[in-house]
Amino acid sequence: MGAFGYVAPSSLDEALAVLSEHADHGKRAQVLAGGTDLLVQLRGVDREPRTIVDIKKLAETNRVQIGASEVFIGAAVPSAVLNENAELAALLPGLVEAADLIGSTQIQGRASLGGNLCNASPAGDTIPAMIAVAAVCVIAGRSGTREMPVEDFCTGVGSNALEAGEFLLGLKIKTPAARSADAYLRFIPRTEMDIAVAGCGVSVTLDGSGTCTAARVGIGAVAPRPLLVADAATALVGSRLDEAALAAAGAACSRAASPISDKRGTEDYRRKVVAVLCRRAAAAARDRALAR
Amino acid sequence: MSKVQVSTSINGEEVDFLCEPQQTLLDVLRETLSRTGTKEGCGTGDCGACSVLVDGRLVCSCLVLGVEAQGHEITTIEGIATDEGLHPIQQKFLEHAALQCGICTPGLIIATKSLLDRDPNPDETTIRYWLAGNLCRCTGYDKIVRAVQDAAKELAHPA
Amino acid sequence: MAEAVDFKVIGTSPVRPDGVDKVTGRAQYGADLNLPNQIYGKVLRSPHAHARIKRIDTSRAEAMPGVYAVICGRDFPQAAHGEIGGESGGDVSDLAKNIMARDKVLYHGHAVAAVSARSLRIADEALAAIEVEYEVLEPVLDIDAAMAPDAPLLDENCFTKNLPEKPDKPSNIAAVMQLARGDVDQGFEQADVIVEGEYRIPMAHQGYIEPHACVANTNEAGQSTVWCCTQGHFEFRAMTAKVLNMNVADLKFIASEIGGGFGGKTVVYLEPLAVMLSRKARRPVKMMMSREDVFRATGPTSGTHIKVKVGAKRDGTITAATAWMAYEAGAYAGAPMGPGAMAIFAPYDLENFKVEAYDVLVNKPKVAAYRAPGAPQSMHAMESALDELARKLNMDPIDLRMKNAAEEGTQAPYGPKFPAIGLKKCLEAAKAHPAYSRPLPEGAGRGVAVGFWFNVGMQSSAEVHINENGTVTVVEGNPDIGGSRASMCLMAAETLGVPYEQVRALIGDTESTGFSNVTGGSRTTFATGMAVVRACEDIIAQCRARAAATWGVEEDQVLWEDGQATPAPGVNADIKPLSLADIAANAAKTGGPLLGRASLNAQGAGASFSVNIADLQVDRETGKVDVLAFTAIQDAGRAIHKAYVEGQLQGGAAQGLGWALNEEYIYDAEGVMENAGFLDYRIPVASDLPMIDTQIIEVPNPSHPYGVRGVGETPIVAPLAAAANAVRSATGVRIPDLPMSPPRILAALEAAGV
Amino acid sequence: MARVVFPNHLLTFTGGEREVEIAAGNFRQLLEALETRFPGCREALGKAAVAIDGQIYQDAFLEPIEPASEVFFMQRIEGG
């Protein structure tokens, strides 16, 4: 049996070197950001020894940068830090809401967008929200960085597109234009502390008349991985986001969903509720966009 | 298994300890350092009994590795009272009978401190959502919320 | 009970004497003790819900460096059948098998072996090295399936008890119980309106935040000291002695502070294992359950299937009621179907009724007590049915209950006539409460329900020591779960006539104070409180004697008033009163230290009734329920520490609402609990609840010197039906099964076409 | 003669008799009288709870019984 190890690299090169070295020798390494999923797994389902590579000491993974054209959020930035960033919350309210929904205040002190994404849970709250705002994953590897749309990153329940030796550096999001806004809603049985039974993120752009010119809809917890629902966006674009359009988008989400029945909800229930969430989130995004 | 040496600060005191890389900060606090004021209710971040502050940030110590404490400042329930006596939050929890069995109390006091440090005048909804990660099975939260409200008042206008 | 209720300290809410240690992290709970040389014990648990153990090979684990001891079923003495006794009841042999399986595992998580090792990590590795060969059997998970004649059997020697004749073949029905009066057929014939309902509730857990933990330290003579979180260290000592065939005198139990119990810490799980591991290792062994262990392997309360039928005349008079109720016992006999059956109709004066109850074995953990065990489930059924009855009769639901309410002299369904009880006063208070009449927001509904619990007395001991400066130390044997030290201090202060601050209470271990039954059954403030009062009266008698000796008068010429001995009227007026401090200071000259004692088996625990009013809002698109307001009204007899009585009402309300809305044991087809953690076993969080309004009614219990009724259990009973009735009122749809989780509500609304 | 009532689960010990009249000065004497009348019932009845004139006793023994007393045997009550 191998042994556990812990390294906290202080540079990107050092981090990549550790990961590559492990990849090359078939030794297990796992990246640690906030640890709110990793430590739970260590306690239960996956106790196998490995080297834990803490990426919180890297400048890149801790960076939050809001530019005129692009927002960058480092993979290890805790949700609480995002939530306390008023400028970010004003610009991407839906994404920040989603980050604010990950677990308790305590969890938010550690959990990051990057970790939520890499954990690739079908129910990860921030993933549909990131899909809605067309976030792009910035992935570091020994041959440089590569980029990938966030909706392609999760490949199944608990699996992602990272290759051996790679890790997620952060997320890039186009700075929303005027009269654009996003919203995220999820359904849980309690008011807090639950895993989403269904989730939906919506972003919309309106023209001067209030007609929707662009939209993206992401759904979570209703399929093996979070999904971009193009049909839902199509139902919104060109409309004034009236009840009929919202209902059509909701119906598209229900159709796109392929949920399972489990301890958190039935297949039928999830399919219905994701439509309700889509309608409500799209209305919230619309109202925000109109107010901008 | 090789242990890692960690230098940290707990409640303002320099502390060095050895731990295994996969050991949690909670485990180190309780079993290695015998700082048992921080409680374990679940070990999976769902109950908040193990709440501590790391550099002033509220976290579950069961979801932090001991090795991650290197170079950081940890505040636990043992560090809340001062030479002057109980912290007003502690005093108000007592006065309002906001604890029955008391196992969740250390975590709730730490979480309340982190709330009031940020927001000196939270409304009831803010208090309830901030404390949603601290499970209490005895009180129904009523008296806890009242204690927090009263502690906020006391901190704003010390009697 | 004296008429005068002009108390000095009773009914106030002072800070508890153990408070500072609990807000500073000093208080030591079950897992907070670390002894020199200590090692760690861990339990290997069954991966199957029902299987025969073919073989256990511990040799690899035993050979591992850092492993001190490995034990399994064959290392235990054969425990004789027999009653455990005390509060928890049950069979010793079953208890022994429940803490360590012998030939069969009966639930997923059932203990099959235990190890002690230098570290928790090594203990985990040792568990992984134990080989167990199972013959997997079909699990019996559903209560109806378990009762079917051809069901697989958990126990081939289980013959239904309490039948007129022993049945000719075994079954999973461990026992039946019947209660009846009058002629129900005739009663239903007299009825103008009849309602029937069928209700299912899955298993639910007490959900105390502190997992079970203990440290056992055994010496070379086989004497063990056990530190543990328990509701009753004397009963834990007795159970451990019986299970391990040990002499009680060789076991010392020290109760740590306890992080919640609600009935779940009235039976042993780890303690006998820790004693054995420590004996083998000759070192202190610390054992701590994980949260997952707590859910899988400690006793939740029964899942139930209950049918109720109630008939009434137009004016609301109930003419007949029947109930059929099946309670899951889990792996071994002993579901709380008895109290469930005795409670279901207890609030009402019924001429004709019949109750049939079943104790049913299933491949789930053996149930343990949970706050008013058995009553929340059965009274949820009756109180839901009464809500429907009120609707059919077009009658106010409180008026309907008032029309049939039991009062002093009513023959309770379980036998005796009620002494003074507070049900009608609670109903009157509910009717008059603003919470019952204020307007509801759109989409919300209001529900009311009645709650009840018998309460018990049982055995308690107390000692009162007067220190040399006149301060008072109360020593008793009931772990303080919710502020009982403060209540004891209040009663002692009131009786002695001294300030509350002058009294401190402590909980002695099994070697330093007299026997007490568990902290449970809502008995501590009642029974142990009674012992404390008697011990204080003993002190007063001694003080009067010493004052008499000091003054050279007769004892009957000395009164005890306001905390001091005073001469009776007419006795030499120059004599200055002697305070407790004065008498204590002179104790050496008057006979030595002042020590008062009392031990008793308290009789006459008073039944406590409640009425709850719940306002809930239902999101018709998602089925989600929000609790808008909740009012708990309950007869406490007398509130000793007002804030902690309110706290009992509020905490019970929160637990009941959690049970009503979200809490449940969810099993897969193989009998594996799917939600063994606080993430998916959803107890209410702070943001789920509003402030919980309380109103304490005081109809003093004539059997207690201060009028105390037990107060801890009743609060959990009424919220289940109050919530169900509120959802019915909000949606127009009766949802008979709990929990009323969002998927269940949405499905019910759709099925009803609303 | 005190009126003594048995619940269903104890009827096996009384040959099905639900109610009897017994003369006894206290509970111990009552149990003895019942044992004479229904041999073998003593152990089970001794373990049951009993209500004497409305007062519930989990462990009755020397409690006085009046000629007009009502005595109900019942299941022991537990609690959480």
Side-chain angles (χ1 to χ4, degrees):
Chain A
M1 196 184 288
F4 271 95
Y6 171 84
V7 288
S10 54
S11 74
L12 185 54
D13 286 345
E14 194 189 333
L16 287 168
V18 172
L19 291 171
S20 301
E21 197 262 344
H22 279 73
D24 293 345
H25 294 87
K27 290 190 294 182
R28 187 166 175 203
Q30 189 171 15
V31 170
L32 168 72
T36 53
D37 285 313
L38 197 163
L39 266 80
V40 175
Q41 290 155 9
L42 272 181
R43 186 184 169 93
V45 294
D46 181 8
R47 300 182 183 208
E48 190 185 68
R50 73 205 73 167
T51 298
I52 293 164
V53 184
D54 186 348
I55 58 165
K56 287 195 292 298
K57 299 228 159 77
L58 304 180
E60 292 86 340
T61 56
N62 278 309
R63 188 160 61 95
V64 177
Q65 197 168 2
I66 301 172
S69 61
E70 193 174 273
V71 174
F72 180 86
I73 300 172
V77 178
S79 304
V81 171
L82 300 181
N83 204 24
E84 288 162 7
N85 186 326
E87 193 186 357
L88 188 72
L91 212 51
L92 293 164
L95 181 61
V96 173
E97 268 164 7
D100 190 35
L101 289 174
I102 306 178
S104 58
T105 318
Q106 285 86 339
I107 300 293
Q108 285 160 33
R110 297 263 295 167
S112 63
L113 292 191
N116 199 224
L117 181 59
C118 291
N119 190 51
S121 159
D125 274 309
T126 61
I127 309 175
M130 287 192 274
I131 290 175
V133 297
V136 171
C137 309
V138 181
I139 298 165
R142 58 187 118 185
S143 49
T145 60
R146 63 180 178 118
E147 296 186 354
M148 172 186 281
V150 72
E151 58 267 28
D152 296 337
F153 185 81
C154 298
T155 53
V157 178
S159 64
N160 62 42
L162 291 174
E163 306 280 348
E166 287 186 331
F167 74 100
L168 183 70
L169 211 52
L171 294 141
K172 279 190 343 193
I173 299 157
K174 267 195 199 139
T175 306
R179 293 177 77 80
S180 292
D182 66 332
Y184 175 77
L185 288 174
R186 65 158 181 198
F187 183 82
I188 54 172
R190 289 182 291 190
T191 51
E192 274 281 4
M193 300 301 290
D194 288 333
I195 303 289
V197 177
C200 183
V202 178
S203 76
V204 296
T205 303
L206 308 182
D207 66 11
S209 71
T211 301
C212 177
T213 58
R216 281 172 68 91
V217 177
I219 55 176
V222 290
R225 59 193 192 95
L227 299 175
L228 173 69
V229 187
D231 286 354
T234 307
L236 298 176
V237 172
S239 80
R240 295 174 66 93
L241 301 180
D242 47 33
E243 278 305 313
L246 300 185
C253 288
S254 290
R255 282 196 304 276
S258 55
I260 55 164
S261 290
D262 69 4
K263 60 191 170 189
R264 293 174 187 144
T266 60
E267 180 188 338
D268 182 53
Y269 181 77
R270 287 191 155 107
R271 211 184 280 282
K272 286 190 175 112
V273 168
V274 76
V276 174
L277 296 174
C278 173
R279 256 174 37 225
R280 293 179 182 179
R286 173 196 67 200
D287 294 346
R288 282 174 181 162
L290 286 171
R292 269 195 180 154
Chain B
M1 182 146 316
S2 61
K3 290 192 174 183
V4 183
Q5 192 197 329
V6 178
S7 299
T8 186
S9 154
I10 300 177
N11 301 326
E13 280 176 41
E14 298 300 311
V15 176
D16 293 326
F17 59 83
L18 292 173
C19 75
E20 295 181 357
Q22 77 278 26
Q23 243 183 313
T24 64
L25 176 58
L26 174 62
D27 197 32
V28 169
L29 286 171
R30 291 182 52 81
E31 303 301 318
T32 309
L33 301 174
S34 283
R35 305 284 210 283
T36 55
T38 306
K39 306 301 179 190
E40 175 171 330
C42 69
T44 49
D46 300 315
C47 80
C50 67
S51 296
V52 300
L53 305 179
V54 177
D55 299 337
R57 175 77 67 194
L58 179 66
V59 301
C60 286
S61 59
C62 73
L63 294 185
V64 177
L65 294 173
V67 288
E68 289 184 83
Q70 172 67 42
H72 293 287
E73 288 182 13
I74 316 291
T75 307
T76 71
I77 186 65
E78 290 94 342
I80 300 299
T82 65
D83 291 345
E84 278 72 56
L86 293 180
H87 188 281
I89 297 169
Q90 294 171 313
Q91 188 59 39
K92 292 302 173 187
F93 266 64
L94 289 179
E95 287 173 13
H96 285 265
L99 53 145
Q100 285 179 30
C101 79
I103 194 84
C104 69
T105 309
L108 272 158
I109 286 172
I110 291 281
T112 300
K113 179 158 194 315
S114 114
L115 169 63
L116 298 183
D117 285 349
R118 280 168 179 70
D119 181 355
N121 188 24
D123 61 17
E124 184 188 335
T125 304
T126 305
I127 293 169
R128 287 186 181 277
Y129 277 85
W130 188 274
L131 300 180
N134 291 85
L135 299 182
C136 168
R137 192 59 158 170
C138 296
T139 64
Y141 305 104
D142 183 301
K143 294 187 188 302
I144 291 171
V145 174
R146 289 179 203 276
V148 174
Q149 289 171 326
D150 202 13
K153 261 188 228 153
E154 172 72 22
L155 285 163
H157 307 284
Chain C
M1 182 64 219
E3 277 306 301
V5 289
D6 194 12
F7 296 120
K8 287 202 171 61
V9 292
I10 279 180
T12 62
S13 300
V15 167
R16 62 200 288 169
D18 51 324
V20 172
D21 282 357
K22 284 181 175 158
V23 297
T24 56
R26 281 185 182 80
Q28 286 196 299
Y29 291 79
D32 293 347
L33 183 70
N34 288 316
L35 292 177
N37 243 348
Q38 170 182 292
I39 57 176
Y40 292 90
K42 285 208 120 183
V43 176
L44 181 68
R45 299 187 178 279
S46 167
H48 306 292
H50 195 189
R52 224 176 288 284
I53 299 173
K54 309 287 282 182
R55 185 180 63 91
I56 300 182
D57 183 349
T58 58
S59 54
R60 275 209 306 137
E62 277 165 295
M64 288 171 71
V67 172
Y68 286 83
V70 184
I71 55 171
C72 59
R74 59 179 172 252
D75 298 308
F76 284 72
Q78 187 72 40
H81 282 283
E83 294 208 11
I84 295 164
E87 156 79 358
S88 305
D91 183 89
V92 176
S93 157
D94 285 349
L95 174 67
K97 286 184 282 189
N98 191 38
I99 63 164
M100 183 61 74
R102 308 296 153 96
D103 49 345
K104 248 183 140 183
V105 290
L106 293 174
Y107 54 95
H108 180 266
H110 200 160
V112 293
V115 303
S116 62
R118 199 172 58 229
S119 71
L120 287 166
R121 181 179 56 76
I122 296 172
D124 268 331
E125 289 166 12
L127 292 183
I130 297 172
E131 292 168 31
V132 187
E133 192 187 321
Y134 296 98
E135 177 196 341
V136 179
L137 304 170
E138 187 185 338
V140 184
L141 301 169
D142 177 78
I143 191 165
D144 298 324
M147 294 174 81
D150 55 347
L153 293 177
L154 274 78
D155 178 359
E156 289 80 7
N157 295 311
C158 175
F159 293 87
T160 309
K161 278 190 193 159
N162 301 341
L163 289 174
E165 281 170 23
K166 187 179 169 182
D168 53 7
K169 59 176 205 160
S171 75
N172 293 318
I173 302 172
V176 299
M177 174 171 171
Q178 280 190 1
L179 277 179
R181 182 191 300 158
D183 182 335
V184 290
D185 294 334
Q186 204 186 318
F188 282 120
E189 270 172 34
Q190 288 163 4
D192 297 313
V193 175
I194 291 175
V195 295
E196 286 186 79
E198 188 166 355
Y199 311 85
R200 284 185 172 82
I201 306 180
M203 276 187 169
H205 199 273
Q206 299 84 352
Y208 36 82
I209 306 300
E210 179 198 29
H212 300 247
C214 67
V215 181
N217 195 4
T218 309
N219 70 16
E220 283 69 11
Q223 297 158 326
S224 284
T225 300
V226 183
W227 158 279
C228 62
C229 52
T230 170
Q231 289 180 241
H233 41 310
F234 289 93
E235 290 181 32
F236 268 37
R237 178 182 65 172
M239 290 180 205
T240 302
K242 283 182 180 169
V243 164
L244 299 182
N245 199 14
M246 282 178 75
N247 180 348
V248 163
D250 286 337
L251 283 166
K252 171 180 178 177
F253 270 68
I254 306 169
S256 69
E257 296 301 330
I258 172 171
F262 313 105
K265 289 177 183 161
T266 55
V267 283
V268 294
Y269 297 100
L270 298 176
E271 293 75 10
L273 312 185
V275 167
M276 282 189 72
L277 289 170
S278 156
R279 188 194 292 158
K280 251 182 146 168
R282 294 190 296 113
R283 277 174 170 70
V285 173
K286 180 172 181 175
M287 298 186 81
M288 301 174 281
M289 281 199 187
S290 67
R291 176 55 49 185
E292 190 180 333
D293 290 345
V294 172
F295 276 114
R296 293 195 194 287
T298 68
T301 190
S302 300
T304 51
H305 177 195
I306 297 176
K307 298 179 222 180
V308 168
K309 182 177 174 186
V310 187
K313 292 193 175 143
R314 278 267 153 251
D315 70 352
T317 307
I318 297 173
T319 56
T322 57
W324 178 98
M325 46 181 74
Y327 279 64
E328 292 175 339
Y332 300 97
M337 52 105 174
M342 295 195 288
I344 183 166
F345 300 139
Y348 306 109
D349 185 1
L350 303 183
E351 262 181 55
N352 308 300
F353 66 84
K354 191 174 163 192
V355 186
E356 213 179 320
Y358 297 87
D359 181 10
V360 184
L361 303 182
V362 290
N363 288 113
K364 298 179 184 177
K366 161 73 174 79
V367 300
Y370 179 19
R371 216 168 186 168
Q377 298 98 318
S378 68
M379 293 187 71
H380 162 261
M382 177 59 175
E383 294 297 308
S384 296
L386 284 186
D387 194 67
E388 290 302 320
L389 183 64
R391 285 171 193 283
K392 274 200 171 180
L393 292 168
N394 201 17
M395 200 171 170
D396 176 274
I398 294 181
D399 291 347
L400 172 63
R401 288 168 172 88
M402 186 64 97
K403 177 96 193 158
N404 296 286
E407 58 190 338
E408 184 168 358
T410 300
Q411 193 108 45
Y414 50 88
K417 287 198 174 85
F418 281 118
I421 50 172
L423 173 58
K424 285 196 166 176
K425 282 208 170 163
C426 289
L427 286 165
E428 280 163 14
K431 192 81 191 280
H433 201 287
Y436 194 58
S437 50
R438 67 181 160 226
L440 280 165
E442 184 70 27
R446 177 165 296 148
V448 295
V450 165
F452 156 85
W453 186 249
F454 314 86
N455 299 325
V456 298
M458 308 178 75
Q459 301 179 81
S460 287
S461 308
E463 288 155 30
V464 173
H465 302 264
I466 308 301
N467 302 314
E468 58 268 34
N469 64 347
T471 56
V472 181
T473 303
V474 174
V475 185
E476 37 103 2
N478 278 104
D480 178 354
I481 311 188
S484 62
R485 285 186 186 90
S487 301
M488 298 307 151
C489 290
L490 282 168
M491 285 183 275
E494 187 75 45
T495 309
L496 293 170
V498 300
Y500 167 80
E501 293 71 24
Q502 208 167 310
V503 187
R504 303 291 154 81
L506 63 89
I507 289 112
D509 60 54
T510 55
E511 286 186 353
S512 61
T513 192
F515 181 91
S516 277
N517 282 114
V518 294
T519 299
S522 304
R523 63 173 290 279
T524 302
T525 307
F526 170 71
T528 306
M530 198 187 285
V532 168
V533 171
R534 296 261 170 84
C536 289
E537 288 165 353
D538 183 8
I539 289 287
I540 291 170
Q542 293 176 40
C543 284
R544 288 175 57 213
R546 295 190 191 210
T550 306
W551 294 332
V553 302
E554 296 300 315
E555 272 180 55
D556 59 10
Q557 293 179 304
V558 179
L559 304 180
W560 187 260
E561 281 174 342
D562 291 334
Q564 50 188 10
T566 57
V571 178
N572 185 350
D574 292 342
I575 297 175
K576 269 195 175 169
L578 291 173
S579 69
L580 202 51
D582 296 333
I583 297 169
N586 208 33
K589 293 179 180 165
T590 58
L594 287 158
L595 163 59
R597 288 184 300 188
S599 66
L600 46 80
N601 188 346
Q603 311 296 348
S608 179
F609 289 87
S610 70
V611 179
N612 288 178
I613 306 168
D615 288 359
L616 306 185
Q617 187 142 30
V618 181
D619 181 335
R620 283 165 171 269
E621 287 189 320
T622 63
K624 179 162 164 49
V625 176
D626 287 326
V627 183
L628 303 181
F630 196 91
T631 305
I633 300 164
Q634 187 178 323
D635 175 16
R638 177 87 63 215
I640 299 297
H641 188 291
K642 185 164 174 281
Y644 284 120
V645 172
E646 291 168 356
Q648 289 293 324
L649 272 53
Q650 292 164 336
Q655 281 186 319
L657 285 168
W659 200 349
L661 298 177
N662 279 308
E663 295 179 33
E664 59 177 319
Y665 267 49
I666 302 171
Y667 282 91
D668 72 9
E670 273 71 52
V672 179
M673 185 190 180
E674 293 188 301
N675 59 333
F678 279 137
L679 185 60
D680 286 301
Y681 184 88
R682 300 184 192 97
I683 77 172
V685 302
S687 48
D688 290 339
L689 295 171
M691 291 296 188
I692 296 166
D693 220 356
T694 60
Q695 185 178 351
I696 301 169
I697 304 295
E698 294 191 321
V699 177
N701 175 7
S703 303
H704 186 276
Y706 292 117
V708 168
R709 290 172 195 278
V711 78
E713 292 175 282
T714 299
I716 201 176
V717 180
L720 281 64
N725 296 342
V727 168
R728 166 72 174 82
S729 146
T731 63
V733 178
R734 168 64 54 186
I735 297 172
D737 299 344
L738 300 184
M740 296 181 289
S741 60
R744 173 167 280 149
I745 288 186
L746 198 63
L749 295 183
E750 282 177 2
V754 294
Chain D
M1 298 274 266
R3 179 172 162 248
V4 183
V5 185
F6 305 99
N8 281 41
H9 77 273
L10 293 174
L11 296 184
T12 35
F13 300 98
T14 65
E17 274 195 69
R18 189 176 290 280
E19 202 174 311
V20 296
E21 303 234 311
I22 298 276
N26 63 26
F27 185 73
R28 183 175 60 84
Q29 292 167 6
L30 180 94
L31 273 190
E32 277 164 14
L34 286 170
E35 176 68 20
T36 311
R37 184 133 163 204
F38 307 116
C41 76
R42 193 191 167 110
E43 199 192 337
L45 293 182
K47 277 189 216 157
V50 64
I52 303 170
D53 298 325
Q55 181 86 278
I56 299 174
Y57 300 89
Q58 301 272 41
D59 302 282
F61 190 55
L62 294 175
E63 282 64 24
I65 288 173
E66 308 294 328
S69 282
E70 284 186 328
V71 179
F72 285 84
F73 284 93
M74 52 193 281
Q75 191 177 52
R76 289 179 73 89
I77 294 157
E78 302 170 14

